[in-house]
Amino acid sequence: MAALLLVNPRSGGGGTDRLVAAARERGLEVHVLAAGEDPAAVAAGAAAEVLGMAGGDGSLAAVAAVAARRDLPFVCVPAGTRNHFARDLGLDRDDPVAALAAFDRGVERRVDLAFAGDRPFLNNVSLGIYASLVHRRERRRRRRDAFARLRALGTVLTHRPMPLRLDGEPVESHVLLVSSNAYALEVLSLGERERLDEGLLHVYGAGGLLPAARDERTGTRFTVDSPRGRVRAAVDGEPATLATPIELRIEPRALRVLVPAG
């Protein structure tokens, strides 16, 4: 089958030359994204029967949504910083070249695909303090601010709960996280997901600085609203500003993922 691998050379700090060479040795068509190029637009216009993306979780989600819409198999190649989706698929996050085996010896799995409005996500959408820190990290990356860590600490210490409404009910929370499938909650972090085909969104909220299981809700659709008309968010770890109300939904088993055999 004709396969296309899109590569974001800026993901994970760069260093994708070896990956690109290995993909071309396999006979794959490789498109290295230029600065500012939209991976979803490239994928939508490609005459391919399999779509792959090498990059971080945000760019993976954009191409995965195109693959789902076209009912094409999708290959995840972990080349970002955290690679949470690859981890939960069971891939080796430290070996993106090994993931290329899915193109010719792949086993298909059906997994869920979620949306915040029109924006797809594979892992989660976070509102509140974590989103603020992600936005600050992006500004720091652009400015290389010498005082960024002190300012980030100030954000944590002075952050006020957000005045939000979840399905019409008032919610004041430092953290509101909506995930595709359930996370194992660990101290100071989110753990792995045991399933990617549960067909449910999970909402974690906390008055403190970390999500707490006692505030968890589950469903297939949620609406988050804000009197401000927009909120800063982190969508699969990428900074975004979302207009409210945000309609969150999950499409069960909408994505055909190819993973290496075994």
Side-chain angles (χ1 to χ4, degrees):
M1 291 189 295
L4 171 67
L5 175 65
L6 285 78
V7 178
N8 184 349
R10 291 161 293 280
S11 291
T16 57
D17 290 349
R18 176 172 169 264
L19 173 64
V20 169
R24 286 178 173 152
E25 286 177 5
R26 284 181 172 271
L28 300 176
E29 180 185 354
V30 179
H31 182 105
V32 179
L33 295 165
E37 193 171 16
D38 181 3
V42 175
E49 299 171 273
V50 180
L51 293 174
M53 180 69 216
D57 286 320
S59 53
L60 286 170
V63 176
V66 174
R69 186 169 65 247
R70 296 179 58 186
D71 193 29
L72 297 178
F74 173 72
V75 175
C76 165
V77 179
T81 302
R82 294 173 179 83
N83 303 308
H84 286 170
F85 183 63
R87 174 198 65 188
D88 296 342
L89 275 176
L91 302 180
D92 183 347
R93 293 187 286 178
D94 298 322
D95 193 357
V97 172
L100 298 177
F103 280 101
D104 52 14
R105 295 191 302 275
V107 176
E108 184 172 309
R109 292 177 55 187
R110 286 273 187 175
V111 304
D112 303 335
L113 183 63
F115 291 85
D118 294 330
R119 181 156 181 166
F121 64 96
L122 294 167
N123 303 319
N124 59 68
V125 174
S126 179
L127 309 174
I129 190 166
Y130 175 72
S132 297
L133 292 173
V134 168
H135 280 256
R136 188 172 294 279
R137 179 195 70 195
E138 181 66 12
R139 292 197 299 270
R140 181 187 70 204
R141 184 185 66 81
R142 293 175 180 174
R143 295 195 314 238
R144 301 194 181 279
D145 190 340
F147 299 101
R149 292 193 177 186
L150 287 176
R151 291 177 176 173
L153 178 60
T155 297
V156 172
L157 296 177
T158 61
H159 188 271
R160 296 181 178 179
M162 303 171 293
L164 297 175
R165 298 182 73 86
L166 179 63
D167 286 347
E169 298 180 11
V171 174
E172 287 200 353
S173 177
H174 284 286
V175 179
L176 191 68
L177 184 138
V178 182
S179 71
S180 172
N181 295 275
Y183 277 98
L185 294 177
E186 301 174 350
V187 177
L188 300 179
S189 69
L190 291 172
E192 297 184 17
R193 289 171 291 178
E194 292 186 0
R195 293 183 59 181
L196 295 176
D197 60 354
E198 181 189 18
L200 289 174
L201 296 172
H202 290 249
V203 180
Y204 305 95
L209 298 182
L210 296 173
R214 65 178 180 272
D215 299 322
E216 182 180 353
R217 305 185 194 186
T218 61
T220 58
R221 289 179 176 268
F222 290 98
T223 301
V224 175
D225 204 355
S226 166
R228 299 173 185 172
R230 60 184 56 242
V231 294
R232 289 194 297 184
V235 182
D236 282 345
E238 297 294 326
T241 300
L242 302 179
T244 57
I246 307 167
E247 301 293 337
L248 298 132
R249 71 185 194 281
I250 192 165
E251 296 185 2
R253 298 171 59 85
L255 181 62
R256 301 167 57 192
V257 178
L258 294 178
V259 296

